Amino acid sequence: MSDQTTSRPADCGCRLRAGSSPDRYISFAGIDCDGNARRLMEMIDAHLLDPAKKDAFWAYFERKRRAETGPRADELFLIHSNINQIRDYLEDWDDAPAQALLLQIELECC
């Protein structure tokens, strides 16, 4: 074993480089994908309360989220499916914390 790796929880059966963050390609253990997706959706919702920040796409996005236009998608899937539109939106509204959370979700969960 390399001294560059540290043990993960016994039930994980995976390895993690010392000082690194969880890696979805090794294991989703320790990554709160659903919780982070929920937090990002709350951040998006706060923007969408302002009618000036809503356009046809975001109205569609909200309908998708409520399953008005097909089966209900979980929040992580919805983020993953619309990641570029979400990124552009958050950049347009200069929301650095939401952009950082989106990047984290993209790296860890998508």
Side-chain angles (χ1 to χ4, degrees), residues 9-61:
D11 61 337
C12 172
C14 56
R15 308 291 291 167
L16 177 66
R17 286 190 166 278
S20 67
S21 58
D23 184 342
R24 71 183 189 272
Y25 292 110
I26 296 172
S27 169
F28 282 95
I31 302 174
D32 186 10
C33 294
D34 292 332
N36 288 337
R38 188 173 39 262
R39 282 186 284 286
L40 182 61
M41 287 297 202
E42 290 168 357
M43 296 167 112
I44 292 169
D45 286 343
H47 283 286
L48 294 175
L49 289 173
D50 180 349
K53 294 183 177 183
K54 194 183 297 188
D55 60 20
F57 172 78
W58 292 102
Y60 165 79
F61 184 86

Side-chain angles (χ1 to χ4, degrees), residues 21-22 24 28 31 33 36 103-110:
S21 58
R24 71 183 189 272
F28 282 95
I31 302 174
C33 294
N36 288 337
L103 179 60
Q104 179 183 346
I105 291 168
E106 181 177 18
L107 294 174
E108 292 179 351
C109 304
C110 293

